[in-house]
Amino acid sequence: GQNIDQPTEMTATEGAIVQINCTYQTSGFNGLFWYQQHAGEAPTFLSYNVLDGLEEKGRFSSFLSRSKGYSYLLLKELQMKDSASYLCAVRPNAGNNRKLIWGLGTSLAVNP
Amino acid sequence: NAGVTQTPKFRVLKTGQSMTLLCAQDMNHEYMYWYRQDPGMGLRLIHYSVGEGTTAKGEVPDGYNVSRLKKQNFLLGLESAAPSQTSVYFCASSDRDRGRFDEAFFGQGTRLTVV
């Protein structure tokens, strides 16, 4: 089967750094996405990795190791507004098959 | 630029009633999707479309039908609602992969309760 694992919950302190891990076992690999979802709102795109390595975008970075089936999202200089659920999703196939396999999300609470 | 718009935002149905959820996008995206999100289950794909006039089944298609008569619209129908269809429904769209990633843009969600 296809599976994505993420921690269910994490807590961190304002101003700190937090790393949210994602491991995946899928039939193929054609990209990994991270989305942020605030309570009661829609998911919004954060980052995309298809090659091994680190992608940096402001306070957020995402890392991928395809050989290990592993990714992490790094959030620096945490702010209260970063309290949200972070969803990891993998696209197993290329071409017109656009389906994503979604993790259950990691609920991050940022405390003052 | 509105992005992806879903209507309605909230709805309560009685078991056996029917309804249609409308999704409209103004980004000229080729791909559109309907998801449901339930506690402890994550996002699950109901149906999707890779272009006008096409539809395909996702993970959990039973009890739902879809149509994509116009490129900008993707309709999700429930013919006979059941309590198990109580959920938050999200529509999303994405562009054709033109050598770069194609992130999905989500609508604000429809909270459906079937009693």
Side-chain angles (χ1 to χ4, degrees):
Chain A
Q2 312 207 78
N3 193 53
I4 293 183
D5 289 315
Q6 305 177 233
T8 303
E9 296 179 337
M10 298 183 72
T11 59
T13 304
E14 194 175 14
I17 299 173
V18 70
Q19 177 175 310
I20 302 174
N21 295 326
C22 170
T23 58
Y24 62 90
Q25 301 90 37
T26 55
S27 56
F29 182 83
N30 198 45
L32 184 144
F33 296 81
W34 283 97
Y35 283 79
Q36 180 189 59
Q37 186 176 24
H38 285 101
E41 298 183 7
T44 55
F45 170 78
L46 285 179
S47 69
Y48 172 77
N49 296 73
V50 68
L51 299 176
D52 291 350
L54 189 68
E55 294 283 342
E56 296 185 84
K57 189 190 292 186
R59 294 189 298 113
F60 293 5
S61 303
S62 57
F63 172 83
L64 175 68
S65 168
R66 289 172 295 170
S67 63
K68 296 181 179 178
Y70 168 71
S71 172
Y72 68 72
L73 181 69
L74 194 69
L75 291 73
K76 303 175 186 175
E77 301 171 11
L78 281 171
Q79 303 175 9
M80 298 297 289
K81 67 179 182 180
D82 297 329
S83 293
S85 184
Y86 291 86
L87 311 177
C88 174
V90 171
R91 177 181 295 132
N93 303 303
N96 261 354
N97 189 339
R98 316 304 291 179
K99 291 186 229 184
L100 295 177
I101 308 299
W102 292 85
L104 297 185
T106 299
S107 180
L108 174 66
V110 179
N111 300 316
Chain B
N1 190 343
V4 179
T5 303
Q6 290 180 231
T7 53
K9 292 183 175 58
F10 302 93
R11 186 73 185 267
V12 178
L13 283 181
K14 292 182 179 179
T15 297
Q17 285 185 318
S18 64
M19 77 165 294
T20 300
L21 282 68
L22 172 64
C23 177
Q25 53 96 2
D26 61 2
M27 297 172 283
N28 201 36
H29 284 171
E30 293 289 339
Y31 303 105
M32 297 188 75
Y33 318 82
W34 275 107
Y35 288 96
R36 61 179 289 174
Q37 188 174 38
D38 303 288
M41 301 292 287
L43 279 163
R44 292 183 291 171
L45 183 65
I46 305 171
H47 287 280
Y48 66 103
S49 168
V50 301
E52 181 179 320
T54 74
T55 62
K57 293 180 180 180
E59 303 172 62
V60 288
D62 293 343
Y64 306 94
N65 56 75
V66 287
S67 64
R68 183 108 181 260
L69 299 179
K70 295 182 179 180
K71 185 177 184 180
Q72 64 268 33
N73 295 337
F74 195 29
L75 278 63
L76 178 71
L78 286 72
E79 291 186 347
S80 179
S84 61
Q85 294 177 304
T86 294
S87 186
V88 179
Y89 291 85
F90 286 104
C91 175
S93 71
S94 64
D95 203 357
R96 184 186 300 276
D97 188 354
R98 301 181 191 279
R100 60 179 293 278
F101 63 89
D102 55 335
E103 75 271 27
F105 294 82
F106 283 79
Q108 71 271 43
T110 297
R111 282 153 182 78
L112 174 67
T113 302
V114 182
V115 297

